DNA sequence: AAACAACTTTGTAATGGTTACAATGTTGGA
DNA sequence: TCCAACATTGTAACCATTACAAAGTTGTTT
């Protein structure tokens, strides 16, 4: 993903660009690691030493408000962000804490924009918790 | 729900009973309001003046660990608890903040205990966000 | 019934993530 | 170039949660 594409992406979501916004959005679009504020801050502050945590907080809030990124609250203790705003589910590994993307059930997807028991649905979230494939492998290896 | 039933419920989940644990569990089992720690604390501290917030925190963590209640993290800013541990979905109204119970999709339900893309699934969560029926009615009323 | 050990509760203090705010920096249009 | 609107920064405040040590409770053994 080029910086120019990120610029286009921001404009498409009615977000006025700035060096900080471009850097943060570009990070989200090129990393599928579902980062926290701190992860983003640490990753970018080397290249952009004046970057402030407050800016990362404000910017991410702005992105979410404009539909340019998703806020994930799978775990109580960490808020994650996702540059992929398409409808998909998430899997949180309770061992290593990693978050994986998974497809969302079609029957659930179809309820977006519809009414369910009189309530208007504007947002859908679906997530799994458990032990990921990598942790299972490591577990087996350590038993041998 | 009688206190005796609550006692049975705690024992069934291998939780040693105490006056505080009974009171908190009984609150959860008789209220479907998906309360936060603070709501539970405020509700019970009148009847039990020595109750401490720390106890509410510790007790709820104990309940969740023993599968006697669910921890809901639908919103970043508030953690809720649910005494109904059966598989069901939730609807969060972004206007009034109320949380409603909804049925969970069967196809999603069926994945519990199974493997998805190599990951073992031990927990499922599904939730909707939007505007609830009550808020829609109030909105319409205010326009007249 | 007393003594004791294990467990639970309590209140205060510490922690740490998030937000408020005022000062500084930046941008784009007149 | 100037100016107004907007964005960023860093510090301080906030507040929900947790750590901890003291006090209280329970149940068992003698």
């Amino acid at each position: 993903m080029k910086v120019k594409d990120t610029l286009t992406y921001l404009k498409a979501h009615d977000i006025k660009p700035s060096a900080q916004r471009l850097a943060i959005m570009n990070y989200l679009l090129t990393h599928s690691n579902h980062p926290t504020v701190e992860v983003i801050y640490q990753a970018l502050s080397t290249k952009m030493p004046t970057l402030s945590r407050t800016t990362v907080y404000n910017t991410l809030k702005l992105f979410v408000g404009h539909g340019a990124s998703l806020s994930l609250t799978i775990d109580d203790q960490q808020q994650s962000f996702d540059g992929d705003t398409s409808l998909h589910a998430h899997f949180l590994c309770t061992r290593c804490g990693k978050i994986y993307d998974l497809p969302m059930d079609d029957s659930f997807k179809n309820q977006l924009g519809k009414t369910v028991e009189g309530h208007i649905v504007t947002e859908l979230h679906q997530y799994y918790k458990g032990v990921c494939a990598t942790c299972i492998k490591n577990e087996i290896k350590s038993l041998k």
Side-chain angles (χ1 to χ4, degrees), chain A:
Chain A
M1 166 86 50
K2 290 169 188 165
V3 172
K4 198 183 168 223
D5 296 328
T6 305
L7 184 65
T8 307
Y9 186 85
L10 284 183
K11 286 182 177 170
H13 288 88
D14 269 314
I15 296 166
K16 290 211 285 183
S18 75
Q20 291 82 353
R21 290 172 183 181
L22 279 168
I24 296 170
M25 193 72 246
N26 193 63
Y27 183 90
L28 283 177
L29 292 175
T30 56
H31 295 77
S32 56
N33 56 347
H34 308 90
T36 61
V37 165
E38 192 59 24
V39 167
I40 296 172
Y41 174 73
Q42 293 300 338
L44 298 180
S45 60
T46 48
K47 294 287 174 80
M48 195 178 250
T50 67
L51 184 68
S52 136
R53 273 189 188 77
T54 303
T55 299
V56 181
Y57 277 105
N58 290 340
T59 303
L60 288 169
K61 189 174 286 184
L62 182 81
F63 289 173
V64 172
H66 285 244
S69 76
L70 291 181
S71 166
L72 306 180
T73 50
I74 303 178
D75 204 346
D76 358 333
Q77 303 300 19
Q78 73 177 100
Q79 188 183 12
S80 303
F81 293 88
D82 195 340
D84 177 3
T85 57
S86 70
L87 278 180
H88 62 284
H90 291 98
F91 181 97
L92 171 69
C93 178
T94 53
R95 296 286 168 93
C96 66
K98 225 178 270 168
I99 297 172
Y100 298 84
D101 287 328
L102 285 178
M104 187 180 273
D105 282 18
D106 284 332
S107 55
F108 188 55
K109 261 188 181 175
N110 289 335
Q111 299 185 81
L112 186 63
K114 303 264 175 67
T115 294
V116 177
E117 296 192 8
H119 314 312
I120 296 172
V121 176
T122 61
E123 218 179 311
L124 293 172
H125 294 267
Q126 196 175 52
Y127 60 86
Y128 303 79
K129 288 189 186 178
V131 185
C132 77
T134 305
C135 284
I136 297 169
K137 269 177 212 152
N138 291 340
E139 193 88 1
I140 292 170
K141 210 178 286 176
S142 73
L143 292 174
K144 284 178 184 168

